[in-house]
Amino acid sequence: MQINKAEYVKSCVRADHYPTDGLPEMIFAGRSNVGKSSFINSLTNRKHLARVSSRPGKTQTLNFYNINDEMYLVDVPGYGYAKVNRSLKESFGRMIEEYLVEREELILGVLLVDYRHKPTPEDIAMYGLYKYYEIPTLVIGTKKDKVNRSQYKKQEKLIKETLDFDEDDVFVAYSSETHEGREEVLEIFEDLIKQYHEIIVEMEQE
């Protein structure tokens, strides 16, 4: 998959604000400091598509990015930031869960975890939410370039065991600095988009 177009479309807090063109969507979730914006910028090869904030927890909406007029990346508020008050955290949770429950166009849940560390309780809860709603999941281990090569297998094992990783899901270690893992992720996206359209065609023929 080659990305020729990647642009911010809109920010939403309610279902009636979501795009209505029927393109498949992939949601991106992770801790506030996991490098989510850097990952999106690296994946799309756009330096400033997603804003890399010096203040974690700044994103407070679902941000939709159009990719090639074929799909949307949906960036959600980062979790685990201590300075975000409880009521705001709860509203984030409701907003995300509403999206997971209601959105028929959702074809993949992407969870970003720090490749250097054991997943946090929030990471485990987010992964569990994907599994509860039976959403196919891709786990991205960010900051791979910060880990010694000899530790790769150990870290992947630690992450999978902590998450109680479903073997039907996919894990990719990724570096936003070197773009290692990028082609693998884009191939996954391309396959899922094809499957989505095949299902749509089958439904229309019935």
Side-chain angles (χ1 to χ4, degrees):
M1 179 179 184
Q2 182 175 342
I3 295 181
N4 300 310
K5 174 182 179 179
E7 63 182 22
Y8 165 80
V9 175
K10 65 192 311 186
S11 296
C12 307
V13 294
R14 301 196 312 269
D16 58 353
H17 290 169
Y18 300 160
T20 58
D21 50 15
L23 294 179
E25 297 172 1
M26 303 179 188
I27 187 173
F28 287 70
R31 294 195 67 197
S32 297
N33 60 353
V34 77
K36 187 151 51 74
S37 294
S38 296
F39 169 75
I40 291 173
N41 291 338
S42 167
L43 188 70
T44 59
N45 202 25
R46 305 293 193 276
K47 290 184 178 180
H48 305 293
L49 180 64
R51 294 182 179 179
V52 180
S53 175
S54 59
R55 180 164 62 89
K58 188 175 181 180
T59 301
Q60 299 179 6
T61 57
L62 302 181
N63 296 327
F64 288 76
Y65 298 92
N66 181 313
I67 307 299
N68 289 349
D69 293 325
E70 293 179 336
M71 61 173 283
Y72 286 107
L73 304 184
V74 185
D75 183 21
V76 307
Y79 51 77
Y81 185 55
K83 291 185 179 180
V84 175
N85 67 51
R86 177 171 292 186
S87 63
L88 202 53
K89 286 181 180 178
E90 290 175 353
S91 70
F92 289 175
R94 289 193 298 272
M95 178 175 63
I96 294 170
E97 192 157 9
E98 177 187 38
Y99 175 84
L100 297 180
V101 172
E102 301 291 341
R103 197 59 170 163
E104 294 182 356
E105 290 84 352
L106 176 61
I107 62 172
L108 181 69
V110 181
L111 175 65
L112 282 75
V113 299
D114 193 322
Y115 194 45
R116 302 170 297 178
H117 305 300
K118 181 178 180 179
T120 67
E122 291 93 344
D123 293 327
I124 297 169
M126 190 69 223
Y127 183 75
L129 201 58
Y130 284 159
K131 295 296 90 188
Y132 180 79
Y133 291 114
E134 300 181 340
I135 299 167
T137 304
L138 167 63
V139 176
I140 300 290
T142 63
K143 307 179 183 181
K144 182 181 181 180
D145 53 289
K146 308 296 185 184
V147 176
N148 189 291
R149 185 176 296 273
S150 64
Q151 299 296 307
Y152 286 176
K153 289 185 178 180
K154 176 184 175 183
Q155 289 308 111
E156 181 172 340
K157 182 181 179 182
L158 175 64
I159 290 168
K160 287 183 173 180
E161 288 182 347
T162 304
L163 293 176
D164 192 17
F165 189 76
D166 186 333
E167 292 303 321
D168 288 334
D169 293 332
V170 180
F171 176 87
V172 176
Y174 196 97
S175 169
S176 295
E177 296 293 325
T178 66
H179 304 300
E180 186 175 356
R182 182 175 185 268
E183 292 304 317
E184 185 176 354
V185 172
L186 291 177
E187 286 179 9
I188 293 168
F189 287 5
E190 185 173 31
D191 288 343
L192 287 173
I193 292 170
K194 287 180 180 178
Q195 292 173 25
Y196 176 83
H197 288 298
E198 288 172 359
I199 291 172
I200 295 298
V201 170
E202 289 178 2
M203 292 175 61
E204 290 176 347
Q205 291 176 344
E206 290 179 354

